[in-house]
Amino acid sequence: TAATAAAATATDTTATSTVTKKNITYTINSDGTATVTKVNKTLKGKVTIASTINGKKVTKIAAKAFKGQKKVTQIVIPKTIKSIGNQAFAGMTKLKKVVVKATYKKLKLGKKVFKGDKKLKTIKLAKKNKKVLKKTFKKSVKNSGLKVKKVKIK
């Protein structure tokens, strides 16, 4: 019936859904934000995470979202990100550079975000809140088992 169809449509707008764009899967959350949840193994080279998807602000990168990605060499994290989950970029054997445009002072980084990323050489931070974020990323690099001296955080 028309009433059943209307009820189903109303339910669909509040339920979480997923959207895949440029081989990155985003989950649309019920709070009106979006989270990067997984990536396609065919991704390679420089990857830029969208700051919005379907009009929703991308605020999180889920745990293990990029884990084991073998062909990505650079990731650009948008200004909108407030949280990066455990092992989000772990085991990325070719990752050399991470560009962090996020300026959120209380940016949360999970455990072992960069574990096993032995080729990681540079983490480039945005100017705003750089001092605070530099400490956060240094701690994360160390906690991932990488040598802080080998990874330039600038």
Side-chain angles (χ1 to χ4, degrees):
T1 66
T4 309
T9 306
T11 307
D12 292 347
T13 58
T14 57
T16 57
S17 60
T18 59
V19 177
T20 301
K21 189 174 182 182
K22 294 186 180 178
N23 291 316
I24 300 174
T25 301
Y26 301 85
T27 296
I28 307 301
N29 305 311
S30 56
D31 67 357
T33 64
T35 301
V36 176
T37 47
K38 67 179 181 176
V39 297
N40 189 306
K41 297 291 180 202
T42 60
L43 271 181
K44 60 183 175 186
K46 179 181 175 181
V47 174
T48 301
I49 297 169
S51 58
T52 59
I53 197 84
N54 288 4
K56 310 292 183 200
K57 200 182 274 191
V58 179
T59 59
K60 295 178 184 151
I61 300 170
K64 301 179 181 180
F66 283 78
K67 188 176 182 185
Q69 184 52 259
K70 306 286 185 217
K71 298 173 187 165
V72 174
T73 56
Q74 180 177 337
I75 294 176
V76 179
I77 298 171
K79 197 174 191 171
T80 54
I81 295 294
K82 293 183 177 185
S83 169
I84 299 173
N86 295 342
Q87 297 185 28
F89 306 117
M92 294 183 69
T93 54
K94 297 220 168 117
L95 184 65
K96 292 179 186 173
K97 184 176 184 178
V98 177
V99 177
V100 182
K101 293 185 175 181
T103 57
Y104 186 60
K105 199 185 254 186
K106 294 179 183 169
L107 178 71
K108 289 184 186 137
L109 291 179
K111 293 182 175 133
K112 301 178 180 175
V113 172
F114 303 106
K115 185 182 180 192
D117 299 347
K118 291 178 175 63
K119 291 192 176 178
L120 182 61
K121 298 282 180 242
T122 309
I123 297 174
K124 187 176 188 307
L125 303 173
K127 285 185 171 79
K128 187 179 177 190
N129 295 324
K130 191 175 198 169
K131 195 174 181 181
V132 174
L133 291 173
K134 195 169 185 175
K135 282 182 186 175
T136 303
F137 276 90
K138 261 189 182 176
K139 187 177 173 185
S140 180
V141 165
K142 200 173 185 179
N143 149 313
S144 295
L146 302 176
K147 290 187 169 79
V148 175
K149 287 179 183 172
K150 285 190 171 185
V151 181
K152 268 190 199 162
I153 302 172
K154 54 184 187 172

